[in-house]
Amino acid sequence: RTKIWDASVGAILTEVTPKINFESNSLKGSMTTPVIFMANNLFAQTIPITRGWNWISLNVESNESSQFDLLLKTLNSRTDDLVKGQKSHRIFKKSKTWKGSLEAMTPDNAYMLKSSVDDTLVIDGVLANPTTRLINLVKGWNWIGFNSIRNLPINQALGGLNPQNEDLIKGKDFFAVYDQNIGWIGSLAAMKPGEGYLYKSGTSNSFYYPIAGYYKSGIDNDALKNTHFNVQSDEFQSNMNMVAMLNCDGLDKDSKQTLAAFDNNGKCRGAIKLHYMNEIKSHLAFLSIAGDGSEELNFK
């Protein structure tokens, strides 16, 4: 089989025809009569899965969306592996089947997948069209997917939304909060295909992601990404977020210092580089901290 891979957006694959038999030292096609490949509209979305908790979303519509044993067949699932939606879940049983009340996995929603091993999830389907898929928000927390095939800056991705002051969107490692005077600020610079997000809305709302995601690559979140501490967050399902100001003599505007949070066992739960805010003439740290229960944290 022959596949096309769009490297600019990660592993997005589509089948093409015809099939070709390998012949050593042969030449297939020429400048005047090249081999013609026909591509269909079926794609395969590939999502890297780490051992522990993953926040994921889909950008393809699969015919197997409600048939979990088929939908998740590329995973090397173990007993008690888990996939959760906002209100329901499925668990992998000793019978080697997924059991539970989660009805389907579709674009537009976020899911949390707990895996016993590092793995890869491949979902076959038709690319979702963001402009026809309304994302509905209720007041409070919403688990939303990102149905584009390109990274998009947060302002562009949420350009169709009228956010309220202090609305918050977070991924597993980064977050942004909306300020009515500044706009979106935080460590979440861009939304990325395959990743799931939690959105805390101050009111009922709705929006569409832009079609621009089909054509233009956006920025990443690397500018503030921690490179100093070994963050151990995958074993935790949830996180909390913090906007912190660091009072420290000797910090200049271009300082690359990193603020990190630790539990009482010395495990790093989160870390982020400082971000200089011109509006307040000071450094802020937009820190996501992994955890599931109430406990004391220390900072370095």
Side-chain angles (χ1 to χ4, degrees):
R1 295 184 300 174
T2 308
K3 297 174 184 276
I4 293 176
W5 177 35
D6 187 344
S8 66
V9 298
I12 300 294
L13 301 169
T14 183
E15 298 281 354
V16 296
T17 57
K19 298 179 181 179
I20 299 295
N21 291 324
F22 175 80
E23 298 175 14
S24 180
N25 298 324
S26 68
L27 171 65
K28 303 290 186 181
S30 67
M31 292 294 293
T32 56
T33 58
V35 177
I36 304 297
F37 287 100
M38 302 299 295
N40 57 32
N41 65 344
L42 294 178
F43 289 78
Q45 181 183 12
T46 302
I47 304 174
I49 300 297
T50 60
R51 182 179 181 273
W53 285 98
N54 302 263
W55 294 17
I56 66 172
S57 66
L58 309 182
N59 57 21
V60 296
E61 301 176 72
S62 172
N63 290 331
E64 301 167 345
S65 62
S66 61
Q67 304 174 62
F68 283 81
D69 293 338
L70 295 176
L71 185 70
L72 306 179
K73 61 183 180 295
T74 63
L75 294 176
N76 296 302
S77 300
R78 311 289 174 84
T79 301
D80 293 334
D81 281 2
L82 186 69
V83 58
K84 295 182 63 175
Q86 186 167 1
K87 297 180 179 180
S88 53
H89 71 277
R90 292 261 174 167
I91 189 168
F92 195 72
K93 297 292 189 178
K94 292 181 179 179
S95 58
K96 307 300 181 184
T97 58
W98 289 91
K99 299 291 187 181
S101 58
L102 181 62
E103 294 183 355
M105 290 180 66
T106 62
D108 318 331
N109 298 307
Y111 303 92
M112 295 186 184
L113 175 64
K114 185 181 182 183
S115 175
S116 299
V117 296
D118 292 335
D119 215 335
T120 302
L121 175 61
V122 181
I123 303 291
D124 296 321
V126 178
L127 280 181
N129 183 348
T131 63
T132 64
R133 307 187 70 92
L134 185 66
I135 308 297
N136 291 302
L137 303 175
V138 299
K139 183 177 181 180
W141 285 105
N142 303 263
W143 291 25
I144 63 171
F146 182 55
N147 54 31
S148 176
I149 63 170
R150 294 284 195 276
N151 294 358
L152 282 181
I154 189 74
N155 288 317
Q156 186 179 0
L158 301 180
L161 175 65
N162 181 27
Q164 304 296 301
N165 191 48
E166 295 189 355
D167 273 12
L168 185 147
I169 183 171
K170 66 178 180 178
K172 195 170 186 303
D173 301 304
F174 304 100
F175 79 98
V177 62
Y178 186 78
D179 182 275
Q180 60 188 0
N181 298 313
I182 301 174
W184 288 104
I185 57 172
S187 55
L188 182 65
M191 298 183 72
K192 300 176 66 175
E195 298 194 357
Y197 299 89
L198 272 60
Y199 190 103
K200 187 178 183 181
S201 180
T203 186
S204 297
N205 215 332
S206 62
F207 70 100
Y208 294 94
Y209 291 113
I211 195 67
Y214 273 127
Y215 308 116
K216 183 178 179 181
S217 294
I219 59 176
D220 207 335
N221 301 305
D222 289 341
L224 300 178
K225 189 174 182 179
N226 154 63
T227 56
H228 297 288
F229 297 96
N230 179 25
V231 179
Q232 298 171 281
S233 61
D234 292 340
E235 64 185 86
F236 302 98
Q237 175 186 341
S238 303
N239 63 31
M240 64 175 286
N241 307 107
M242 175 183 294
V243 181
M245 181 180 290
L246 190 65
N247 291 324
C248 180
D249 292 337
L251 283 181
D252 58 27
K253 185 176 180 180
D254 297 323
S255 175
K256 304 299 182 184
Q257 299 297 316
T258 298
L259 179 66
F262 294 81
D263 61 24
N264 284 331
N265 295 318
K267 182 178 295 184
C268 185
R269 298 290 191 86
I272 199 74
K273 288 181 180 177
L274 302 185
H275 178 57
Y276 185 79
M277 300 290 296
N278 286 313
E279 294 84 357
I280 60 174
K281 306 300 181 184
S282 185
H283 290 87
L284 292 181
F286 299 94
L287 181 61
S288 294
I289 306 169
D292 292 324
S294 178
E295 57 186 310
E296 186 178 64
L297 296 171
N298 308 291
F299 297 86
K300 295 182 182 180

